Amino acid sequence: MKSWFAGLALGLAVIAGITTEGVFAQQAPGKRDFEAEVEAALRSAKTAAGFEFLGTLVRICLVPQSGGENTTDNVPGYVAKPASAPSRDFWYAEPAKVFDNFYFVGGRVHSAWALTTKAGIILFDTIYPYNSEELIIGGMKKVGLDPRDIKYLLVSHAHGDHIGGAEMIQARYQPRVVMSGADWDLVEKYPNRYKTMAPKRDIVATDGMKITLGDTTVTTWLTPGHTPGTLSYTFTVLDRGRPVNVAYSGGTAFNFVNNTPDPGIRNFQTYIDSQRHFARQAAATGATVLLSNHSEFDSAVNKNQMLAGRGNGPHPYEQGGNLVQRYFQVMQGCARAAQLRLEQKLAETAK
Ligand SMILES: [Zn+2]
C-alpha cells in the first residue's frame, strides 16, 4: 500500500510539473542517488508526453501496475457469463474512415482497424468476444466494407481485449491469421483463458516479416515486453492520395513480473529494448502517425470526431516524426523509472 501511495504521489508531482532537479547520475557504485535517477526518468517521460500522450503517461507512469503475468487458466467472466460483460454504453463507438484506405472499426477503449488493398482487407486486432461482432463486423458494414474480404488478420498480442474476436473471424471468413510464435504458444497453453477466442495456429510472425496483399505491405516487428511475443507494425496509408507512414504500437502496459528485481529488471530491459527497436523502425520508415490498439494511448476516438470537421486542415492523426518518437520516449522513461525502483530494491537487499 505504501509504495502505491508513493508512486501515485510521485506521479501526481510529475503531472503537476513539480519535479526536483535530477540527472541520470554518474556516481560511484554504491552511492547512487536512486530518487534522483527515478525523477530524471519520470521527467523525461513527462516532457516527451506533453499534452499529446497524457493517456500513456498516466497509465504507465502513474497508475499502479499489476504485479505480474497471469499464469492461471480460467475462463474469463465475460465468456462464462456473457451477461456479466460490460454494457454497450461503456464500449460502443462509431466506426470511421480515417484514411483513404484505412478504417477504425473499434470501440471507445479498444481499437481494431481495417486496411483496404486491391486484393482484400488486412484487419488489425479483434477486441473482445462480446463486442467484436457489433464493432468490427457491424462497423465494417456501416462504412461500406465487406467482412468477407478480410484476407489477413493480424493480432498484436494474445490478450482477451485484442484476440477476442479472432476465432470467430477465422472460422467465418478464413483469413490467414498472423501472430508471434510466443503468443501462439500462449493460446495453446491456456485453453480456458482463450475459450471462444482462440484461432488455430497459422502464420508465425518474425521480426521484419512482410505481409503483402495486393498493392499493400505491412511489416511486422517483434516487440516483446507487454506479452512475450507482442507485435508492432509499420505500413503506409493514403491521405487524399498522399502516402503517410504509420507506426502501430502493439502493447503498452507492464503486464509482466514487474515487482521483484528478478526477473523484473530483466523484463523491463526487454520492454525498453523493444521500444528502442520499434522507435528505430518508425524513424527508418518515416512514420508520422502513431497508432495503438487502445484509444487511451492514441486518442483515436477523439481524433475520429476531429476528422469530421477537418476541412482543408491537417489530418488529426498525422503528428509528425518527432511526436511519434516522443511516444516511445514516454514508454522508455516510464519503464526506466520502474526498473530503477527495482534496482534500488536490489541494492537495498544487498546491503
Ligand atoms: Zn494486452
Side-chain angles (χ1 to χ4, degrees):
M1 209 58 182
K2 191 166 159 262
S3 66
W4 191 95
F5 281 118
L8 187 64
L10 190 53
L12 289 172
V14 165
I15 275 285
I18 311 163
T19 52
T20 55
E21 278 311 303
V23 290
F24 284 109
Q26 303 222 337
Q27 297 178 9
K31 289 195 174 179
R32 287 175 63 182
D33 184 346
F34 282 105
E35 287 309 316
E37 289 188 53
V38 167
E39 279 181 21
L42 289 174
R43 192 174 59 242
S44 116
K46 180 211 153 204
T47 305
F51 290 107
E52 289 83 3
F53 301 120
L54 277 178
T56 310
L57 185 77
V58 167
R59 176 68 179 272
I60 60 174
C61 263
L62 267 70
V63 174
Q65 299 294 311
S66 66
E69 65 177 314
N70 178 8
T71 55
T72 58
D73 188 25
N74 301 321
V75 177
Y78 51 77
V79 172
K81 269 194 201 167
S84 71
S87 72
R88 187 179 182 278
D89 291 349
F90 178 75
W91 49 258
Y92 184 78
E94 287 292 323
K97 181 172 185 171
V98 173
F99 288 99
D100 303 358
N101 56 340
F102 196 64
Y103 298 78
F104 173 87
V105 286
R108 274 177 58 193
V109 184
H110 302 90
S111 306
W113 307 85
L115 177 62
T116 60
T117 80
K118 286 199 163 76
I121 293 168
I122 300 171
L123 183 70
F124 295 82
D125 286 317
T126 64
I127 330 187
Y128 282 106
Y130 58 82
N131 57 12
S132 49
E133 179 82 45
E134 178 168 5
L135 291 175
I136 298 177
I137 308 308
M140 287 179 72
K141 289 176 181 165
K142 225 169 165 175
V143 294
L145 302 178
D146 186 344
R148 289 174 300 185
D149 292 336
I150 302 171
K151 301 300 178 200
Y152 279 99
L153 168 56
L154 276 50
V155 179
S156 59
H157 68 268
H159 281 161
D161 48 352
H162 308 295
I163 198 174
E167 182 176 322
M168 174 270 286
I169 289 168
Q170 186 190 47
R172 207 185 287 175
Y173 308 110
Q174 287 97 43
R176 301 300 307 270
V177 182
V178 182
M179 201 154 58
S180 71
D183 281 27
W184 280 119
D185 291 347
L186 281 181
V187 170
E188 287 163 5
K189 189 172 171 189
Y190 299 109
N192 291 320
R193 190 194 296 178
Y194 296 104
K195 197 172 175 193
T196 77
M197 306 182 221
K200 290 188 186 73
R201 187 184 276 256
D202 191 6
I203 296 174
V204 176
T206 55
D207 197 55
M209 179 187 266
K210 294 196 183 309
I211 304 286
T212 298
L213 182 63
D215 51 344
T216 302
T217 296
V218 175
T219 308
T220 64
W221 301 103
L222 292 182
T223 51
H226 180 72
T227 62
T230 296
L231 290 179
S232 297
Y233 313 107
T234 50
F235 53 93
T236 303
V237 294
L238 294 172
D239 177 33
R240 297 172 177 169
R242 182 178 56 97
V244 173
N245 296 313
V246 175
Y248 184 114
S249 173
T252 308
F254 305 147
N255 276 66
F256 42 79
V257 178
N258 59 47
N259 53 1
T260 56
D262 183 14
I265 292 173
R266 209 164 52 241
N267 288 344
F268 277 112
Q269 198 55 47
T270 300
Y271 180 99
I272 290 167
D273 291 345
S274 288
Q275 298 319 314
R276 287 188 183 140
H277 175 51
F278 191 49
R280 275 196 299 273
Q281 306 313 325
T285 55
T288 55
V289 173
L290 186 285
L291 287 184
S292 164
N293 44 20
H294 285 251
S295 194
E296 71 187 294
F297 302 137
D298 63 7
S299 308
V301 172
N302 293 343
K303 286 175 184 163
N304 292 345
Q305 286 163 355
M306 288 161 69
L307 262 177
R310 176 188 177 191
N312 291 321
H315 195 291
Y317 278 79
E318 200 177 1
Q319 299 179 297
N322 286 342
L323 253 164
V324 170
Q325 291 301 313
R326 273 168 47 189
Y327 182 80
F328 300 112
Q329 287 162 17
V330 176
M331 295 172 85
Q332 286 175 54
C334 293
R336 179 62 184 141
Q339 186 188 40
L340 277 164
R341 292 193 191 291
L342 296 182
E343 290 178 12
Q344 182 174 19
K345 217 176 191 176
L346 185 66
E348 279 164 6
T349 52
K351 272 178 197 162

